[in-house]
Every structure is written in C-alpha cells, then in structure tokens.
Amino acid sequence: MSRRWAIAALVALTSCASKPEPVLHKGAAWLWSRQEADGGWHSHTYGLLRLGQALTPFVLDALLEVPDAVYPQPRANVDRAIAFIRAHTQPSGALGTADPGIPDYPNYGTALAVSALARARRTGWQEQIAPMVGYLRLQQFTEQNGWAPRDPAYGAWGMGGDRRTPPDTGHVDLSMTRYVLDGLHAAGLAAPDPAFAAARTFVERCQNFDAQHPDALDGGFFFSTTESDTNKAGQDGTHFRSYGTTTADGILALLAVGHAPDSPRVVAASRWLASHHHDMDVPGFTGEAYQRWPRGLAYYYSASSTRAFRELRVNAGAGVAQGLQRTQRGDGSWSNPENLVKEDDPLIATPFAIRALVPGR
C-alpha cells in the first residue's frame, strides 16, 4: 500500500470527541488528594512501589500535563513532590536506588523525573537533571559498557541499577527505551545525539519491517529483542506478533530517534495502529491464551496510543475518551480489574488515564 493511502486511512479515523474536562478535573483532584506528607505518592497495592521513588515522578509528570484551566496546579504540592525527588536522587543521578537491595525501576524513575522537572521548570532544574541525564547515558547498552551493534540489546535501556556488560542484559524492552528517550528529549537532547543514534538500532529491531520489502511484514512492533516470553502477543512463524502498546511506543520511539512522520517505517507502523485501533481494547492478541492482555494493558494503551495519534496529527475518534469516562470510579480514580501490569493499582491506572485525556498540544 502506498504512503498516500496510509495517510488517507489515518485521516479517515475521525469522529466528534466528547469533552474530557470534567472527567480530567475529577481524576486530577483524586491524584492530588493521594499525595502523602513526605511529598511523594506511595503504592498501597504493591510493595515494590511503596517507597514511591519511581511512582512519584510518574504521577507528578502526568499531573503537570493537566492545563491550569482544567485543574490549577497547586504550587506548594508540586514543590513538595520535587523536594521528594531531590531527597531520593542518589549522587550518581539515579532515582530508584535508595534501597540497594530493592531497585525501584531506576531507569523509568530517573527518566520520568527528568521529564517532570523539565515540565515544572523550578529554579535550578537544569542543574538538577544534569546528573540524571548522565546516569541515563551510562545505562545504555552501547560500546561504553562493552556492547556492539550486532548485539540484540544494542542501543536499548534495561531496568537500571548496576551497569550491565555482555552477555548479561537483564530485562530489556521497548517501553523502557521509549521512556528514557522521552526523558532525554525533555532535557533538550535529540537526534543525532549519540544516545539517540544508538537507540535507533534497537528501536528498528523491534519493528516487523523489511526495508527491502516494505509490504512483506505488517509494520507493527513487538516488545523485546532479548526475551521472547515478554513479547505478550506471542509468535507467528519466525516473527513475534505486533500488538498495540508496543506499536504506539514504537511510533513515538521512531519519531524520537529521527524518523520523519512520512518515513516508510513510521507510515507502516501508523497504518498498523490505525487499522487495528479500537478504543481502549489493545489490539494484536489472537488465540485464547492471550485474551487477558487486551484489557490488562488498557490504560497504558489509552495513554500511548492517544499520544502517538497526536504526534501524527491524527484524530482517532472519541472511543478512548468515552471509555475512560465510562470506567472512571466515583472518587475520580481508575483501576483495571486485570492485574497483569499493575493497573489494578489506581496510582498506576489513573496517571495513564489522565495522560490520555489531556487536550492535544
């Protein structure tokens, strides 16, 4: 199919979206009400997230996206959250390693903290993020840690913590890589910075795409090049199946590493997402063994797909906003009945819902 057809198909995905402001206001109010005395947000569902190191910047960054016209930012609360982040950031620049025996998603936490601090822009924010950016650079699977372009993990980021050298990758996936790229971009970095150039190798490896035969594969994305069992949609012949969350993340990552919106890779991924997108239900899962995933990833998908369509300047319809309005609980929060990726914790589901509802920038 031609690029012209692909763009036309995307533009055709239009409908009149309902106004999200009341739902968004209520969700933001609930999240602010859950900020604790130390300025952080702490999970009461999952022990690993109880310390709040990764959870606090995740929540704060989502809340800082909410326009003042919808919910005015409570300045004192923002400052308390930033103080929490400062207090838990290690001399190395890492956030998430305060307890050396229990790493709290250090690469996620540090990248999200960079994004939140850059969004808040309090005095001294650039000096504060400098060691964080340095930490993230050192965590990348590149030559500095003994990795070569031929290695499947090359250019990616893992969970974080101790620097990993071959052959020990630990857990490596597209989601963590995309969030680190977001954080580095918020810090003012972009392609052709070396971190983005190396990340391009990993991002492209996660796509079901053949540059020599663009129509041979479906153009969507899978999760990891190193751990087959984390590719949640399973395998189809010699290829991992594409699915919605990874394809939305893949589009955002392709754009971050320098692909233009009309490049063959972005067009192929966009075509896959547009043709499979159906409201909050995550597409790409076939077979009885995989049928918990379309709902288990619903809030992550709502946030990532909404942002991907916005970056492509595509109106994908009102289905996500309507689904979030329908599933919002009486107190303003969201919670997923499925616990596959911790979305049963309202402190996880609600920030994703808020990101999906924030009016397009």
Side-chain angles (χ1 to χ4, degrees), residues 230-236 240-244 283-286 290 293:
T230 65
N231 289 301
K232 301 175 181 65
Q235 196 162 340
D236 187 6
F240 294 114
R241 294 190 186 101
S242 304
Y243 59 100
F285 296 95
T286 59
Y290 301 99
W293 288 111

Side-chain angles (χ1 to χ4, degrees), residues 173-175 206 208 218-224 227-234 240-250 269 272-273 276 282-286 290 293-294 297 300-301 304:
D173 67 53
L174 182 60
S175 175
C206 290
N208 285 315
D218 64 22
F221 278 78
F222 55 91
F223 195 55
S224 177
E227 297 163 273
S228 60
D229 59 347
T230 65
N231 289 301
K232 301 175 181 65
F240 294 114
R241 294 190 186 101
S242 304
Y243 59 100
T245 50
T246 52
T247 301
D249 278 346
W272 189 97
L273 191 64
H276 290 80
V282 187
F285 296 95
T286 59
Y290 301 99
W293 288 111
L297 290 161
Y300 188 111
Y301 179 68
S304 61

Side-chain angles (χ1 to χ4, degrees), residues 263-287:
S263 69
R265 283 185 176 272
V266 175
V267 168
S270 303
R271 182 173 57 207
W272 189 97
L273 191 64
S275 63
H276 290 80
H277 178 69
H278 180 66
D279 305 338
M280 292 176 65
D281 293 325
V282 187
F285 296 95
T286 59

Side-chain angles (χ1 to χ4, degrees), residues 30 36 49 78 89 118 132 163 168 171 191-192 223 298 303 350:
W30 183 86
E36 299 196 20
L49 299 173
V78 174
T89 301
M132 295 178 167
R163 293 168 68 179
D168 180 22
H171 183 92
F223 195 55
T350 304

Side-chain angles (χ1 to χ4, degrees), residues 1 207-219 239 264-265 268 271:
M1 296 178 182
Q207 186 175 17
N208 285 315
F209 182 83
D210 183 342
Q212 300 302 316
H213 305 92
D215 295 327
L217 300 174
D218 64 22
H239 299 283
R265 283 185 176 272
R271 182 173 57 207

Side-chain angles (χ1 to χ4, degrees), residues 22-24 26-27 299 323-330 332-334:
V23 178
L24 183 56
K26 194 174 180 180
Y299 292 98
L324 292 172
Q325 183 173 0
R326 185 174 61 252
T327 57
Q328 188 175 38
R329 303 195 298 184
S333 68
W334 285 266

Side-chain angles (χ1 to χ4, degrees), residues 22-45:
V23 178
L24 183 56
H25 176 95
K26 194 174 180 180
W30 183 86
L31 267 183
W32 280 118
S33 75
R34 291 305 183 270
Q35 187 180 27
E36 299 196 20
D38 63 359
W41 282 266
H42 302 268
S43 176
H44 296 276
T45 306

Side-chain angles (χ1 to χ4, degrees), residues 81-326:
I82 292 174
F84 177 93
I85 291 171
R86 287 181 187 272
H88 289 82
T89 301
Q90 302 304 298
S92 65
L95 179 64
T97 60
D99 185 337
I102 311 176
D104 187 359
Y105 301 100
N107 284 349
Y108 268 132
T110 306
L112 285 161
V114 171
S115 295
L117 294 170
R119 202 183 297 278
R121 292 185 176 269
R122 296 297 196 261
T123 301
W125 70 272
Q126 290 170 307
E127 292 76 11
Q128 186 178 0
I129 68 170
M132 295 178 167
V133 170
Y135 168 80
L136 292 171
R137 283 189 181 279
L138 290 174
Q139 286 290 312
Q140 191 175 22
F141 290 87
T142 55
E143 289 85 352
Q144 65 185 335
N145 292 318
W147 301 92
R150 65 178 179 275
D151 295 319
Y154 182 83
W157 280 269
M159 286 288 189
D162 294 335
R163 293 168 68 179
R164 293 184 179 272
T165 57
D168 180 22
T169 62
H171 183 92
V172 176
D173 67 53
L174 182 60
S175 175
M176 287 185 288
T177 298
R178 193 271 276 186
Y179 272 91
V180 174
L181 291 171
D182 279 352
L184 295 178
H185 187 265
L189 305 176
D193 181 276
F196 288 78
R200 183 172 179 142
T201 298
F202 176 76
V203 172
E204 291 180 355
R205 280 181 175 151
C206 290
Q207 186 175 17
N208 285 315
F209 182 83
D210 183 342
Q212 300 302 316
H213 305 92
D215 295 327
L217 300 174
D218 64 22
F221 278 78
F222 55 91
F223 195 55
S224 177
T225 59
T226 62
E227 297 163 273
S228 60
D229 59 347
T230 65
N231 289 301
K232 301 175 181 65
Q235 196 162 340
D236 187 6
T238 60
H239 299 283
F240 294 114
R241 294 190 186 101
S242 304
Y243 59 100
T245 50
T246 52
T247 301
D249 278 346
I251 290 168
L252 297 171
L254 285 174
L255 296 172
V257 299
H259 284 277
D262 63 349
S263 69
R265 283 185 176 272
V266 175
V267 168
S270 303
R271 182 173 57 207
W272 189 97
L273 191 64
S275 63
H276 290 80
H277 178 69
H278 180 66
D279 305 338
M280 292 176 65
D281 293 325
V282 187
F285 296 95
T286 59
E288 186 177 351
Y290 301 99
Q291 290 315 299
R292 289 180 64 194
W293 288 111
R295 297 307 304 167
L297 290 161
Y299 292 98
Y300 188 111
Y301 179 68
S302 295
S304 61
S305 65
T306 297
R307 184 178 160 198
F309 284 127
R310 285 175 183 162
E311 293 289 338
L312 295 167
R313 300 183 182 277
V314 170
N315 184 338
V320 168
Q322 291 170 349
L324 292 172
Q325 183 173 0
R326 185 174 61 252

